[in-house]
Amino acid sequence: MANQQAAGQESLGQAMNKTELFLERNGRTMSYVILALFLLAALIYGYRAMIVAPRAEKAAAMIAQAQSRFESETPDYELSLLGDANGAGFLEVIEQFGGTPSGNLAKHYAGICYLRTGDLENAAAYLAKFSPVSGIPGAIINAQNFGLQGDVAVEQQDYAKAVKFYNKAVKASDNNLTAPMYLRKAALAEQALGHAAQAAALLEQLLASYPMSMEAREAEKLLGGVN
């Protein structure tokens, strides 16, 4: 069992590296309701136009600076987090505009930065603060977020927790790019737990659902090791 768990941990490490009414009555009451709704709509429009939109624009401009550092050929994760006199970091975006779409995305990025710098506690905390977003591009980010939380759990050797996050990642974005990767990671985490049957089931699911994926090429080899 110990050798099996050690092999599972090593494989997981390799895998990690490859790696969002109202009811009215009638008469005079109806008129009051319509007037109230009109005023409310005007207030909402004014709030969005004068406060929400400008804040979102400022947040988008601010996060672009941190993203540029994060995505450079030689990324500086600490600088991306903290920023400097030349540009804001993800933490400043979160502090000032945490309720905007860019502020939400900054929480995801901050979690990645903490993971890359080895601060697992903050990595888990900030990744968990991210709220899933809608749309196809959003689904990819949602899957990555769950997958990264699984990676943190692996680093903490909490393989049961990792399996849960990897399975969430698969469900968040059922596609040939990310789903096979997270199925494979889930299988390796199950293997690290000594759950041969569960690991095999996940690998068989990978082969059946994503036969053309890169991970499918390795699934058969892994199946031989867990059967």
Side-chain angles (χ1 to χ4, degrees):
M1 179 71 72
N3 291 335
Q4 188 177 32
Q5 289 182 339
Q9 292 174 25
E10 182 179 358
S11 298
L12 279 167
Q14 294 171 353
M16 288 172 64
N17 289 332
K18 287 183 185 175
T19 338
E20 149 167 44
L21 298 167
F22 199 102
L23 295 177
E24 77 287 334
R25 293 188 178 179
N26 50 38
R28 184 171 297 178
T29 300
M30 182 72 162
S31 299
Y32 288 139
V33 168
I34 292 174
L35 177 60
L37 288 173
F38 176 81
L39 292 173
L40 178 61
L43 287 171
I44 292 174
Y45 176 81
Y47 175 74
R48 288 178 176 172
M50 299 179 66
I51 298 177
V52 174
R55 280 178 57 81
E57 290 177 4
K58 290 179 181 178
M62 185 179 287
I63 197 175
Q65 299 167 335
Q67 283 177 310
S68 177
R69 290 165 169 172
F70 179 90
E71 295 168 356
S72 68
E73 291 185 7
T74 56
D76 187 328
Y77 296 115
E78 186 172 353
L79 185 59
S80 299
L81 267 174
L82 303 177
D84 61 10
N86 297 317
F90 293 122
L91 295 182
E92 186 176 352
V93 178
I94 296 168
E95 181 179 357
Q96 293 192 30
F97 303 105
T100 66
S102 293
N104 184 42
L105 186 59
K107 297 168 187 175
H108 176 70
Y109 274 113
I112 299 175
C113 289
Y114 279 121
L115 178 57
R116 296 293 181 262
T117 57
D119 187 341
L120 299 180
E121 185 176 348
N122 273 316
Y126 278 90
L127 287 169
K129 289 179 181 181
F130 173 77
S131 298
V133 293
S134 59
I136 295 177
I140 298 293
I141 296 174
N142 298 341
Q144 184 189 47
N145 183 270
F146 286 129
L148 287 167
Q149 291 189 68
D151 291 347
V152 173
V154 167
E155 291 283 6
Q156 296 171 329
Q157 298 187 359
D158 189 343
Y159 301 113
K161 187 175 182 180
V163 169
K164 292 179 181 179
F165 278 123
Y166 290 143
N167 285 331
K168 285 184 178 181
V170 173
K171 292 178 182 178
S173 186
D174 185 2
N175 61 74
N176 283 292
L177 178 63
T178 62
M181 175 175 63
Y182 295 126
L183 275 172
R184 177 174 177 270
K185 287 187 175 186
L188 291 169
E190 290 283 21
Q191 187 176 6
L193 288 167
H195 298 165
Q198 292 89 329
L202 288 166
L203 293 170
E204 288 168 356
Q205 180 184 344
L206 193 166
L207 282 168
S209 301
Y210 312 99
M212 303 305 294
S213 66
M214 292 182 63
E215 286 77 11
R217 300 175 186 176
E218 301 178 32
E220 290 185 356
K221 297 178 182 177
L222 292 170
L223 270 172
V226 297
N227 288 328

